[in-house]
Amino acid sequence: MVPIESYIKRRQQLASQMQKGVAIIPTSPERVRNRDCNHPYRFDSYFYYLTGFDEPDAVFVMILGDDINETKSILFCQDKDMEHEIWNGFRYGPESAKEFFSIDEAYSISSVDEVLPKLLAGHSRIYYSLGQDDAWDLRFTGWLNQVREKSRSGLSTPAEIYDSRILLDEMRLFKGTEELQLMRRAAKISSRAHCRAMQVTHPGMKEYEVEAEFLYEFRKHGAEAPAYTPIVAGGANACVLHYVKNSMELKSGDLVLIDAGCELNGYAADITRTFPVNGKFSSVQKDVYQLVLSAQSAAINTVQPGNSWDMPHTAALEVLVQGFIDMGLCQGSVDSVIESEDYRRFYMHRTGHWLGLDVHDVGEYKQDEKWRLFDSGMALTVEPGCYIRPAENVPEHFWNIGVRIEDDVIVTNTGCEVLTASAPKSVNEIEELMR
Ligand code: GLY
Ligand code: MN
Ligand code: MN
């Protein structure tokens, strides 16, 4: 876990951007998987970012008075309950949570419907993320209505609801030192898992057997879970962008595309590697692979402070399109193929996304209608690909080749740091590791 002082700083940073008012940040509810079994619990990223508290059924509240020195942090959380803890494990309870997480006041979640409306009364502005969760939205409107009902006794109802995400997304976009350390570790664990996959994969194995190696490596090294459902896609399956069945046999002569990364203390890694099931690229596989690798290298070179968000995508696209033309997959000039979007038959996604507590992390991609500029502390993926489905106008030897190469990168003061560099990606490195 990130030191408590960092959470305190984040709360101060939030307060410094608020006007007088109340911020309400609930955590995620538990979700039923089937009958009386829940999905493994995952906290809300905003809530966790401000508190470090990972229990369900909790709300964080931040009140800002007339000036910044009048701030108060409040946590509503589950009570201690020995009977419940015998079955389901430890709970902090309000008293210990207040101490451990350095929160000013803590109350039982069972009192939230009674206490929160009183806290809202007299404030004109509420910071809340409407539309994120229907059940919390309903409770939120209930709290506001309770205040309205008191208006005859002179209490004013908050008039303005400001989306808390506007402040928090911008904070989360710039990672602090401890966050970067966690992201480096998540990237390292995930890179090791990709190495292991290259070492164990052989023809006749099932995709799910390779997936199992990832789950093993993630848990073995302390990651909570995969950051998203792993994709292990052999042969034609690599051309299905969100293939997650992972149920087929891996065949000699095919490539396998693996998109898998772990979540560590809430922080995601997101890596894709593509390699030959039998350990040796065929000539045409190598051509497509080298093209994607060159596109990725061109894209990574543009990740530096001052460059715009669009530059990695544009750089990758130009290399890919030139390659598509050289290989006879597209006709015309680079500009005309980009203009007509004919390349989208083989490359239909963008080249990356912000990365952090969420695998597709928060943060605006544009500011004032312009692509935003990279700045140190931002974290993103760089993930060009090429997916060639069978089609009449595509030479048959290309059919069913799907390649993506994805790395995690942070912007530094002078350029960038590739967090996932220890997962091999040159043809030689991969063939060497698989031998
Ligand atoms: N693994 C999700 C993505 O690459 O965006
Ligand atoms: Mn990604
Ligand atoms: Mn990915």
Side-chain angles (χ1 to χ4, degrees):
M1 194 179 138
V2 168
I4 297 297
E5 292 70 39
S6 301
Y7 296 102
I8 298 172
K9 271 201 197 122
R10 289 174 195 166
R11 290 174 215 149
Q12 287 166 343
Q13 198 185 340
L14 173 65
S16 73
Q17 297 174 76
M18 285 169 60
Q19 296 177 10
K20 179 175 186 294
V22 183
I24 304 174
I25 321 280
T27 196
S28 301
E30 294 198 88
R31 310 239 181 236
V32 175
R33 181 177 184 275
N34 58 305
R35 201 164 149 76
D36 58 353
C37 294
N38 287 343
H39 282 283
Y41 183 67
R42 169 58 156 77
F43 42 77
D44 173 78
S45 297
Y46 293 108
F47 174 87
Y48 187 73
Y49 181 76
L50 291 171
T51 61
F53 188 72
D54 65 0
E55 291 180 20
D57 219 1
V59 182
F60 175 70
V61 176
M62 180 92 166
I63 303 180
L64 182 72
D66 285 321
D67 78 80
I68 186 77
N69 299 317
E70 280 180 51
T71 62
K72 197 190 284 176
S73 57
I74 302 174
L75 179 72
F76 292 88
C77 66
Q78 295 171 326
D79 286 314
K80 293 239 21 114
D81 177 343
M82 277 330 285
E83 180 64 17
H84 192 280
E85 289 180 51
I86 287 169
W87 289 89
N88 299 309
F90 174 80
R91 284 176 177 181
Y92 279 93
E95 253 173 64
S96 311
K98 174 171 126 92
E99 289 302 310
F100 189 86
F101 296 93
S102 256
I103 306 240
D104 297 323
E105 292 176 13
Y107 302 103
S108 165
I109 188 72
S110 64
S111 69
V112 72
D113 292 329
E114 188 199 324
V115 177
L116 237 176
K118 291 182 188 142
L119 299 176
L120 298 183
H123 282 280
S124 61
R125 187 182 260 221
I126 309 294
Y127 295 83
Y128 177 79
S129 148
L130 263 178
Q132 204 179 312
D133 182 87
D134 289 347
W136 279 123
D137 286 356
L138 208 59
R139 284 182 85 171
F140 175 70
T141 45
W143 300 329
L144 287 181
N145 285 338
Q146 278 193 53
V147 188
R148 259 179 218 118
E149 280 163 19
K150 299 268 162 35
S151 62
R152 259 172 287 163
S153 59
L155 287 177
S156 63
T157 315
E160 234 186 311
I161 298 163
Y162 187 94
D163 193 333
S164 51
R165 287 171 289 200
I166 292 170
L167 304 181
L168 290 169
D169 287 1
E170 199 60 18
M171 286 170 61
R172 282 176 55 187
L173 178 58
F174 294 90
K175 274 72 184 174
T177 317
E178 295 102 355
E179 293 182 286
L180 293 176
Q181 277 309 106
L182 285 172
M183 291 185 75
R184 284 192 187 93
R185 269 185 59 208
K188 197 159 180 191
I189 294 169
S190 307
S191 301
R192 274 175 87 135
H194 279 269
C195 290
R196 184 181 172 99
M198 288 177 196
Q199 285 170 316
V200 304
T201 296
H202 55 80
M205 240 175 137
K206 296 289 202 299
E207 291 165 340
Y208 56 75
E209 291 181 82
V210 181
E211 180 185 359
E213 302 290 336
F214 280 86
L215 302 181
Y216 173 82
E217 279 287 319
F218 291 170
R219 291 301 284 144
K220 173 88 180 160
H221 295 100
E224 299 93 75
Y228 52 91
T229 309
I231 295 170
V232 181
N237 297 334
C239 297
V240 179
L241 294 179
H242 293 157
Y243 175 80
V244 287
K245 265 188 143 177
N246 305 347
S247 60
M248 309 258 283
E249 186 172 310
L250 296 169
K251 299 209 168 62
S252 183
D254 280 350
L255 294 174
V256 56
L257 179 156
I258 304 179
D259 186 343
C262 70
E263 181 173 305
L264 181 77
N265 285 24
Y267 287 84
D270 183 8
I271 308 182
T272 308
R273 289 292 182 264
T274 309
F275 57 90
V277 171
N278 63 15
K280 190 115 187 75
F281 285 90
S282 73
S283 155
V284 61
Q285 286 168 351
K286 200 185 288 185
D287 289 346
V288 176
Y289 187 86
Q290 296 280 25
L291 174 64
V292 176
L293 191 58
S294 307
Q296 201 217 21
S297 164
I300 291 176
N301 284 338
T302 68
V303 180
Q304 18 181 311
N307 281 355
S308 79
W309 166 261
D310 206 32
M311 283 176 75
H313 181 62
T314 305
L317 193 57
E318 280 171 2
V319 173
L320 287 172
V321 168
Q322 182 63 60
F324 297 161
I325 293 167
D326 295 344
M327 293 192 290
L329 294 169
C330 289
Q331 276 71 44
S333 65
V334 170
D335 287 346
S336 70
V337 172
I338 290 178
E339 167 82 25
S340 67
E341 299 195 346
D342 188 38
Y343 66 86
R344 289 183 64 88
R345 289 183 291 135
F346 312 110
Y347 184 45
M348 57 298 277
H349 59 77
R350 290 189 59 90
T351 304
H353 48 82
W354 302 129
L355 182 72
L357 280 169
D358 294 309
V359 64
H360 296 157
D361 207 30
V362 295
E364 292 291 344
Y365 290 94
K366 281 192 169 179
Q367 277 180 327
D368 301 328
E369 298 187 15
K370 288 203 196 85
W371 294 111
R372 75 182 301 157
L373 304 183
F374 290 125
D375 205 345
S376 101
M378 291 172 162
L380 62 147
T381 66
V382 182
E383 50 177 309
C386 171
Y387 316 90
I388 313 177
R389 287 168 167 270
E392 247 176 35
N393 54 356
V394 172
E396 204 171 327
H397 57 278
F398 285 117
W399 288 7
N400 296 322
I401 292 180
V403 174
R404 177 164 65 254
I405 307 171
E406 174 174 29
D407 281 298
D408 302 345
V409 173
I410 51 185
V411 184
T412 62
N413 286 329
T414 51
C416 70
E417 174 186 341
V418 180
L419 304 185
T420 44
S422 61
K425 61 180 174 180
S426 77
V427 165
N428 283 344
E429 279 174 318
I430 290 173
E431 290 187 346
E432 178 66 28
L433 187 64
M434 294 186 74
R435 244 198 295 279

